[in-house]
Amino acid sequence: MKRWLLLAVLVSLLAAVGACAGATPETVTVVETVVVTKEVQGETVTVVETVEVVKEVEKEVVVTATPVPMEEPVILRLGQNAADLGSLDPHFATSTQDRSVVDMIFNGLLRYKPGDGAFDKMEPDLAEDFPEMEMVDGKQVWTFKLRQGVKCHPAGKLEAYELTAEDVVYSLEKAANPDRSAYAGEYTGMTFEAVDDYTVKITLEQPLSPVLFYPKVANYSGGFIVCKKAVEALGDDKFKTHPVGTGPFMFESYSPQEKVVLKANPDYFRGKPKLDGVEMRYIPDISSREAGLLAGELDVINGIPDIAWVDRMKNEGNVTVDVFGVGEVATVHFNTSKPPLDNPEVRKALAYALDRDEFLALFGEPIAENVYSPVPAKFLAGGLTKEEVEELGLAYDVDREKAKQMLADAGYPDGFDLEVITSEMTGYRRIYESMQAQLAEIGVNMKVNVVDHSTMHSQIRKDVNPIVVYIAWRPNADVYLTRFFHSDSIVVTGAKPDTNFSHYDKIDDLIEQARGETDAEKQVELWKEAQIKILEDMVAYPLQFQQQVYARANYVDYGHDLVSVFALYPGITEQTTLNK
């Protein structure tokens, strides 16, 4: 009886650990030491020897349960065309590599529909709905009702907490502060108020139409909403490399000149992302990005705006190439405060030396297309068409003999020397190097120094370049004109320094008059009048728009169609998947 009880206990114990054991006979050969007696030279002696002995032994075999394989996390790896990040504070994120990361971490009150940046496709984001507008004592008031239950990401010892109107007001006031934002000029004349935990009022001294107001509070530039407690806990400097928002992905780590790692936000108000995380890898060399994609080490790469590259990559069987908007406009800005470019005749001579078609050939259509005004007529109201500019005699069609004569008449028969810096990014570098060759035809020697993209952005804002090539998208004509040509936006010295690299101050009244115009047709005419003045004074030479070019493995599904993306990358959301 005891023996059976012991056996039952043993079986129970084995079952409890999920395994069963048994004894299995097995024949083995072993080496043993033995004592033997032998006769040696007529005498009997005892000796110790080792011998091999064949034995049948019982070997205990333990059979365990089959282990369940662990699923590997689903991480999307994107190779970005940059050496490093600049800033992940969304109010300082001005370059492509920064915009693409902050887009995944932050939200706006409103948002552009993923994959389609058209104004009429805009939708609520942190706000429950589009705002209500009313006029109060001659001022325009927009009232937003916030979603409840939206969580700010945790940050260090700071746990996740609910976003409220206090965070929104703090964020917009930060965006309006020139010491804490690159977009402060967008918020002049605005005040922000938290009515209660879920209600925000924005009051404008000068009324704006929705087409001008909505982009200021959308998921773009200064409209990204930061979390007050996180920024205060981290400090502004640390926040630039440790961003905290409310978006589908949370910051996890940053390895300088290597990558930023994001992880899925399980509490995202639109639902947990289908991806477990995203790695933004900084790889400035296109050959390395391309090799990484083809070898399966990268899932998505920033391509180059080159039709030959696009066609070649399309022939790879497992790769899809996406060419999409928004079309960033490349414009040449002449610094009118630096000799000899302070002479308008010299600037016009340089314009006649440049050939739009020669620049266009660097990229090819439909990757790029010529433009004739700072605001691209193909995309936005208020731009000037080629026909309109030619009719006004302001197209500056290439004429290098005329350019040489104009330089001679201006006192520079032998030309002059210039020195500029360019980003290593293809879109910038090709334009600067082509410009260098074209200007050499009229005796202007332009030395071009190549730096990383972040350094270029930093340096041109310190006014180091007499000629600045800037490639940018802005959501409407007012933003283009205000940020690049209003005197408040003059780099370094402006009241709200931004990207007026020309130091131009002749169209402030037209910009402001158009901004306050409620008649759409009159507003467009004022925008066009301002650009005609820019071309007459030749403070900026519009070149082309360049579309976005990305390549992806066929198993990457962004979760939306690609028409245009303001963040200048395909747009990775909670719906993005890898269907391997």
Side-chain angles (χ1 to χ4, degrees), residues 213-372:
F213 175 69
Y214 285 180
K216 300 178 189 297
V217 293
N219 58 333
Y220 181 77
S221 302
F224 282 116
I225 301 301
V226 304
C227 297
K228 178 182 178 180
K229 292 179 183 177
V231 178
E232 290 182 339
L234 294 166
D236 282 5
D237 286 341
K238 187 173 181 180
F239 191 69
K240 292 177 180 179
T241 54
H242 195 123
V244 179
T246 55
F249 295 94
M250 306 185 294
F251 175 84
E252 183 170 301
S253 66
Y254 165 52
S255 303
Q257 299 182 338
E258 183 184 353
K259 64 183 177 181
V260 167
V261 178
L262 308 180
K263 60 183 177 182
N265 175 11
D267 298 322
Y268 186 49
F269 62 86
R270 288 191 173 91
K272 181 181 177 181
K274 296 178 180 179
L275 296 172
D276 293 312
V278 178
E279 289 185 5
M280 185 68 69
R281 299 186 182 179
Y282 300 110
I283 309 172
D285 177 59
I286 181 58
S287 298
S288 299
R289 295 199 304 277
E290 182 181 326
L293 178 65
L294 298 180
E297 296 171 358
L298 297 171
D299 306 302
V300 179
I301 63 170
N302 187 338
I304 57 175
D306 183 319
I307 192 62
W309 186 87
V310 169
D311 291 342
R312 179 169 60 80
M313 290 299 290
K314 283 182 176 179
N315 290 327
E316 296 289 344
N318 61 342
V319 171
T320 298
V321 181
D322 298 300
V323 178
F324 57 96
V326 294
E328 296 181 274
V329 179
T331 302
V332 180
H333 300 264
F334 298 114
N335 188 335
T336 62
S337 70
K338 291 186 176 181
L341 301 181
D342 57 343
N343 184 335
E345 294 305 302
V346 170
R347 299 194 299 269
K348 292 176 184 179
L350 299 188
Y352 280 116
L354 302 178
D355 185 345
R356 283 188 178 87
D357 290 337
E358 198 169 324
F359 287 109
L360 183 62
L362 299 171
F363 306 98
E365 297 182 281
I367 307 300
E369 187 174 313
N370 289 338
V371 295
Y372 295 84

Side-chain angles (χ1 to χ4, degrees), residues 7 133 136 306 403:
L7 181 59
M133 190 277 286
V136 179
D306 183 319

Side-chain angles (χ1 to χ4, degrees), residues 305-516:
D306 183 319
I307 192 62
W309 186 87
V310 169
D311 291 342
R312 179 169 60 80
M313 290 299 290
K314 283 182 176 179
N315 290 327
E316 296 289 344
N318 61 342
V319 171
T320 298
V321 181
D322 298 300
V323 178
F324 57 96
V326 294
E328 296 181 274
V329 179
T331 302
V332 180
H333 300 264
F334 298 114
N335 188 335
T336 62
S337 70
K338 291 186 176 181
L341 301 181
D342 57 343
N343 184 335
E345 294 305 302
V346 170
R347 299 194 299 269
K348 292 176 184 179
L350 299 188
Y352 280 116
L354 302 178
D355 185 345
R356 283 188 178 87
D357 290 337
E358 198 169 324
F359 287 109
L360 183 62
L362 299 171
F363 306 98
E365 297 182 281
I367 307 300
E369 187 174 313
N370 289 338
V371 295
Y372 295 84
S373 64
V375 177
K378 183 168 183 174
F379 299 111
L380 297 174
L384 295 164
T385 65
K386 177 182 179 182
E387 293 71 25
E388 288 175 314
V389 172
E390 287 181 336
E391 186 176 341
L392 292 166
L394 295 173
Y396 292 91
D397 294 326
V398 61
D399 187 339
R400 288 171 183 153
E401 290 305 315
K402 181 176 183 176
K404 289 178 183 177
Q405 186 59 54
M406 291 180 73
L407 283 184
D409 293 344
Y412 299 96
D414 300 320
F416 51 87
D417 296 334
L418 295 171
E419 185 170 354
V420 298
I421 61 170
T422 177
S423 163
E424 83 275 291
M425 289 183 69
T426 303
Y428 282 92
R429 186 169 180 169
R430 284 186 177 180
I431 289 176
Y432 272 109
E433 290 176 347
S434 179
M435 188 191 311
Q436 179 185 46
Q438 293 182 48
L439 293 182
E441 296 287 326
I442 63 168
V444 175
N445 300 308
M446 187 171 76
K447 182 180 179 182
V448 177
N449 302 306
V450 181
V451 298
D452 67 81
H453 195 60
S454 296
T455 298
M456 184 205 74
H457 271 283
S458 173
Q459 290 298 303
I460 60 178
R461 283 167 172 75
K462 295 178 181 177
D463 215 19
V464 301
N465 272 12
I467 297 178
V468 172
V469 173
Y470 203 82
I471 305 173
W473 170 259
R474 298 293 179 258
N476 53 60
D478 176 70
V479 181
Y480 268 110
L481 296 174
T482 298
R483 297 192 59 194
F484 289 105
F485 302 104
H486 194 286
S487 62
D488 283 352
S489 301
I490 293 174
V491 290
V492 183
T493 62
K496 297 181 182 296
D498 195 358
T499 52
N500 183 345
F501 304 109
S502 304
H503 291 249
Y504 195 51
D505 60 0
K506 306 299 184 196
I507 57 171
D508 287 6
D509 56 340
L510 289 171
I511 294 172
E512 292 164 11
Q513 187 180 346
R515 188 181 301 144

